[in-house]
């Protein structure tokens, strides 16, 4: 949109660097160029502003494949106006001298022309292609056909239009058909996911089994070592018992030998004492055998008196005294 200002009945136009301005005054071309600025009178001026920058035209249309399936095509066409004079002569790019706005809608007309031309070539390609092939290779095929068709379209050069690039963004079937087509792939993906899950579970089970086997092997080894420990402890206890029994036997033998020696010594002492006593008795007997009987009686009485207990006092009862007297009387009579 041109920038127009008013000054005392005159107008000043200042164009943009990407806009081509054509100024006709009284039917003659007065100014022609890109990014220019000038003064003009509104009553005698005819102005045209043609954009010369690259423009992006997004388009969406429906088509039908060879197997009668509807598909939606999303594409973008990049174009530019390479001949502004020719474009301004074929399309209405005139602007209001007071506001600088376009009087018509030239870009919409140009967009309609490009969209219908691209759609015509895309429909021609898809009508000969089944849905499966269109979904696989349809994007590149449609892009090539649309680019070739726009390049060969005679109306575009005649209008001063140059096609810069053609891009096909997407080619999609109806939602129901798309879901139906996705089902096998989803099933395969789900199968792969299930297989991966099963493999992961199998690996986990195998690892758990390996861990359990390791634990069992550890328990078996521990039990074996405990058995060896118990056996070694039994061996040690048996050895200690044998050593203790041997020590007790040695002590018992030593005690027995000592007891035998003591008994022998006691027997020898007793024998010697007995011999000494026998010798003393024999000597005593020999001595007494040579002594008179009266002397022996005297010695016997003396010895008896020595061995009698000490009598401090004697109590004689009448009964005893009567008996003694009776015995004495009987002795005298006899």
């Amino acid at each position: 949109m041109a920038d127009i200002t008013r000054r005392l009945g005159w107008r000043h136009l200042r164009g943009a660097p990407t806009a081509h301005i054509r100024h006709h005054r009284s039917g003659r071309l007065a100014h022609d160029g890109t990014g220019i600025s000038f003064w003009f009178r509104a009553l005698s001026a005819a102005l045209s502003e043609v954009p010369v920058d690259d423009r992006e035209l997004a388009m969406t249309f429906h088509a039908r494949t060879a197997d009668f399936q509807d598909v939606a095509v999303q594409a973008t066409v990049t174009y530019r106006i390479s001949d502004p004079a020719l474009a301004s002569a074929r399309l209405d790019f005139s602007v209001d001298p007071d506001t600088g706005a376009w009087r018509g809608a030239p870009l919409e007309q140009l967009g309609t022309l490009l969209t219908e031309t691209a759609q015509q070539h895309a429909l021609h390609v898809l009508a000969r292609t089944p849905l499966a092939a269109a979904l696989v290779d349809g994007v590149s095929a449609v892009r090539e056909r649309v680019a070739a068709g726009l390049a060969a379209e005679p109306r575009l050069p005649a209008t001063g239009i140059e096609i810069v690039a053609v891009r096909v963004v997407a080619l999609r079937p109806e939602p129901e058909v798309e879901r139906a087509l996705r089902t096998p792939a989803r099933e395969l993906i789900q199968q792969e996911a299930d297989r991966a899950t099963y493999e992961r579970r199998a690996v986990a089970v195998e690892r758990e089994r390996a861990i359990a086997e390791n634990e069992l092997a550890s328990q078996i080894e521990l039990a074996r070592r405990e058995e060896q420990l118990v056996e070694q402890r039994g061996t040690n206890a048996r050895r200690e018992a044998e050593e203790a029994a041997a020590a007790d036997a040695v002590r018992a033998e030593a005690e027995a030998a000592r007891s035998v020696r003591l008994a022998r010594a006691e027997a020898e002492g007793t024998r010697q004492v007995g011999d000494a006593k026998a010798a003393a008795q024999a000597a005593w007997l020999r001595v007494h055998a040579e002594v008179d009987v009266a002397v022996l009686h005297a010695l016997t009485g003396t010895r008896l008196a020595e061995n009698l207990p000490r009598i401090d006092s004697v109590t004689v009862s009448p009964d005893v005294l009567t008996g003694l007297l009776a015995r004495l009387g009987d002795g005298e009579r006899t």
Side-chain angles (χ1 to χ4, degrees):
M1 180 178 178
D3 184 10
I4 297 177
T5 57
R6 301 179 182 184
R7 291 292 186 275
L8 301 175
W10 288 83
R11 305 288 188 274
H12 182 268
L13 183 145
R14 182 174 59 188
T18 57
H20 188 94
I21 304 297
R22 290 176 63 84
H23 173 215
H24 290 81
R25 184 174 55 235
S26 300
R28 294 189 301 272
L29 184 63
H31 298 90
D32 186 17
T34 301
I36 62 176
S37 60
F38 52 87
W39 291 93
F40 66 95
R41 287 186 176 274
L43 297 178
S44 61
L47 302 174
S48 298
E49 183 183 13
V50 181
V52 294
D53 57 339
D54 291 349
R55 296 272 173 162
E56 299 284 342
L57 177 62
M59 57 184 71
T60 300
F61 52 87
H62 292 271
R64 179 167 293 184
T65 61
D67 48 0
F68 305 101
Q69 299 296 326
D70 291 336
V71 293
V73 181
Q74 296 179 0
T76 302
V77 176
T78 303
Y79 69 95
R80 73 167 64 97
I81 300 176
S82 59
D83 192 344
L86 185 59
S88 63
R90 300 295 299 272
L91 298 173
D92 185 11
F93 283 97
S94 62
V95 297
D96 190 304
D98 292 330
T99 62
W102 278 318
R103 296 179 184 271
L107 295 182
E108 293 181 4
Q109 297 176 4
L110 187 57
T112 302
L113 173 62
L114 294 174
T115 301
E116 291 179 353
T117 304
Q119 184 176 359
Q120 177 184 357
H121 293 287
L123 293 176
H124 185 271
V125 173
L126 294 175
R128 299 173 179 270
T129 307
L131 177 61
L135 293 178
V136 176
D137 300 323
V139 172
S140 60
V142 171
R143 182 181 65 250
E144 293 174 359
R145 181 58 184 269
V146 170
L150 291 177
E153 179 64 33
R155 290 187 58 189
L156 299 181
T159 314
I161 306 301
E162 178 185 356
I163 301 300
V164 178
V166 176
R167 299 187 303 277
V168 177
V169 180
L171 196 154
R172 302 184 62 178
E174 293 182 347
E176 295 80 4
V177 177
E178 187 174 6
R179 284 194 295 269
L181 293 175
R182 287 179 179 178
T183 300
R186 288 183 176 178
E187 290 295 332
L188 292 177
I189 295 174
Q190 186 63 39
Q191 291 177 6
E192 291 294 328
D194 293 340
R195 185 177 61 82
T197 301
Y198 296 150
E199 290 180 354
R200 183 170 61 253
R201 290 179 179 176
V203 171
V205 170
E206 182 65 23
R207 291 180 178 176
E208 290 179 358
R209 185 185 64 79
I211 293 173
E213 289 182 354
N214 292 334
E215 292 180 352
L216 181 60
S218 299
Q219 293 178 359
I220 293 174
E221 180 65 19
L222 181 60
R224 187 179 63 81
R225 292 187 178 181
E226 289 181 353
E227 182 181 1
Q228 293 178 353
L229 179 60
V230 171
E231 182 178 357
Q232 185 64 37
R233 286 179 177 175
T235 302
N236 295 338
R238 186 169 57 254
R239 186 175 300 171
E240 291 178 357
E242 292 176 355
E243 294 293 336
D248 292 340
V250 171
R251 284 195 298 270
E253 291 179 357
E255 289 291 336
R258 180 171 174 274
S259 299
V260 170
R261 288 194 299 272
L262 289 175
R264 289 178 179 177
E266 290 179 357
E268 183 65 22
T270 303
R271 185 182 62 80
Q272 293 177 2
V273 171
D275 292 341
K277 288 182 177 180
Q281 187 68 26
W284 185 79
L285 291 175
R286 284 194 302 271
V287 171
H288 287 74
E290 297 175 356
V291 178
D292 189 40
V293 175
V295 174
L296 292 176
H297 289 170
L299 289 174
T300 301
T302 303
R303 183 66 57 86
L304 180 61
E306 290 177 355
N307 293 325
L308 288 175
R310 181 180 178 181
I311 300 172
D312 294 329
S313 61
V314 177
T315 301
V316 179
S317 63
D319 295 333
V320 174
L321 182 59
T322 303
L324 289 175
L325 294 177
R327 289 179 181 178
L328 289 177
D330 293 337
E332 291 180 355
R333 283 192 299 265
T334 58

